[in-house]
Amino acid sequence: GNSVTQMEGPVTLSEEAFLTINCTYTATGYPSPFWYVQYPGEGLQLLLKATKADDKGSNKGFEATYRKETTSFHLEKGSVQVSDSAVYFCALDNYGQNFVFGPGTRLSVLP
Amino acid sequence: GAVVSQHPSWVICKSGTSVKIECRSLDFQATTMFWYRQFPKKSLMLMATSNEGSKATYEQGVEKDKFLINHASLTLSTLTVTSAHPEDSSFYICSARDVTGNYEAFFGQGTRLTVV
């Protein structure tokens, strides 16, 4: 079945640092990749997504480009804030059904 | 926008008792809902797919008699953890798709179950 690999962290950065969280996957076909964020004590929120090759999803300063040739969807942000501290999950949309999630990356941003 | 509401957000129960978790789609109909389990500091694992009006489909290794799923209406799915034990303590999250919209998925806020 489909699977997602991402750096597990934890990742600790200072405020205004650059963030990259790598995500690669193996899949049958070309399912759409997503990034979800989970703030402490809360459920999942959609951060961004892509639907076709070379699409760049962006939201709240975060960006990720869907690279079909490398089956990757790395998450980046140029300047992180303390409020970005959360767990980030890379996920594949299993053809409109469930999602397959990566292990999650815990990010802590220090003031 | 579309919302999925999950209740309760947290529950503490004694070993041997049963706990019911509700998942509601508030402004759209969901013929299919998904139940995930998240172990501490781990990812979300799909437990089962809940189908309105029919039996749920369970993932390999998930005990269907332990985790009873009922999807009696187009807006409500319930997960009942029967005869709960401490190892059932976890964070449970439901999800539903707005199939009449753009198929976007919405997640409930999750339920933290602690069995003592």
Side-chain angles (χ1 to χ4, degrees), chain A:
Chain A
N2 298 344
S3 66
V4 177
T5 302
Q6 67 178 103
M7 54 191 292
E8 294 193 34
V11 174
T12 302
L13 296 173
S14 297
E15 208 164 22
E16 299 183 1
F18 184 85
L19 169 71
T20 298
I21 302 177
N22 289 338
C23 170
T24 57
Y25 62 87
T26 57
T28 304
Y30 301 103
S32 297
F34 288 67
W35 277 100
Y36 280 89
V37 58
Q38 185 179 34
Y39 296 101
E42 299 183 12
L44 295 182
Q45 297 179 26
L46 175 64
L47 182 59
L48 52 84
K49 65 181 180 181
T51 55
K52 60 184 187 295
D54 299 324
D55 254 5
K56 177 185 281 189
S58 61
N59 185 26
K60 300 181 181 180
F62 291 89
E63 293 183 339
T65 302
Y66 176 16
R67 300 291 187 197
K68 189 181 288 188
E69 65 277 9
T70 54
T71 60
S72 65
F73 194 54
H74 305 321
L75 182 68
E76 296 182 337
K77 186 173 185 181
S79 176
V80 294
Q81 306 299 312
V82 173
S83 57
D84 294 326
S85 298
V87 180
Y88 292 82
F89 292 95
C90 186
L92 291 181
D93 184 343
N94 195 23
Y95 303 107
Q97 296 299 313
N98 63 292
F99 282 83
V100 176
F101 290 91
T105 300
R106 184 173 300 276
L107 170 67
S108 296
V109 181
L110 305 178

Side-chain angles (χ1 to χ4, degrees), chain A residues 8 34 36 38 41-44 46 49 87 89 93-104 106, chain B residues 32 34 36 38 41-46 49 91 93 95 97 102-110 112:
Chain A
E8 294 193 34
F34 288 67
Y36 280 89
Q38 185 179 34
E42 299 183 12
L44 295 182
L46 175 64
K49 65 181 180 181
V87 180
F89 292 95
D93 184 343
N94 195 23
Y95 303 107
Q97 296 299 313
N98 63 292
F99 282 83
V100 176
F101 290 91
R106 184 173 300 276
Chain B
T32 303
F34 304 92
Y36 295 85
Q38 184 180 28
K41 298 186 178 181
K42 298 292 184 183
S43 189
L44 289 86
M45 302 300 295
L46 179 67
T49 302
F91 195 61
I93 301 179
S95 172
R97 296 261 186 179
N102 59 3
Y103 248 84
E104 184 172 353
F106 298 92
F107 288 82
Q109 61 268 52
R112 182 163 302 286

Side-chain angles (χ1 to χ4, degrees), chain B:
Chain B
V3 174
V4 171
S5 176
Q6 192 172 335
H7 178 81
S9 56
W10 62 270
V11 58
I12 301 173
C13 70
K14 293 183 178 180
S15 287
T17 61
S18 295
V19 173
K20 180 184 285 188
I21 302 170
E22 293 186 348
C23 180
R24 294 181 184 273
S25 56
L26 294 187
D27 52 4
F28 66 98
Q29 294 183 335
T31 54
T32 303
M33 292 186 178
F34 304 92
W35 288 96
Y36 295 85
R37 180 175 180 176
Q38 184 180 28
F39 291 95
K41 298 186 178 181
K42 298 292 184 183
S43 189
L44 289 86
M45 302 300 295
L46 179 67
M47 297 176 64
T49 302
S50 171
N51 303 299
E52 187 268 335
S54 64
K55 292 182 178 180
T57 303
Y58 290 82
E59 295 300 298
Q60 190 173 7
V62 178
E63 299 175 59
K64 58 183 67 176
D65 295 330
K66 173 75 165 174
F67 299 100
L68 299 180
I69 291 173
N70 183 276
H71 194 154
S73 78
L74 288 171
T75 59
L76 174 65
S77 175
T78 61
L79 168 68
T80 301
V81 183
T82 63
S83 186
H85 288 94
E87 57 265 30
D88 299 325
S89 299
S90 197
F91 195 61
Y92 295 87
I93 301 179
C94 69
S95 172
R97 296 261 186 179
D98 183 1
V99 299
T100 59
N102 59 3
Y103 248 84
E104 184 172 353
F106 298 92
F107 288 82
Q109 61 268 52
T111 297
R112 182 163 302 286
L113 169 63
T114 302
V115 184
V116 298

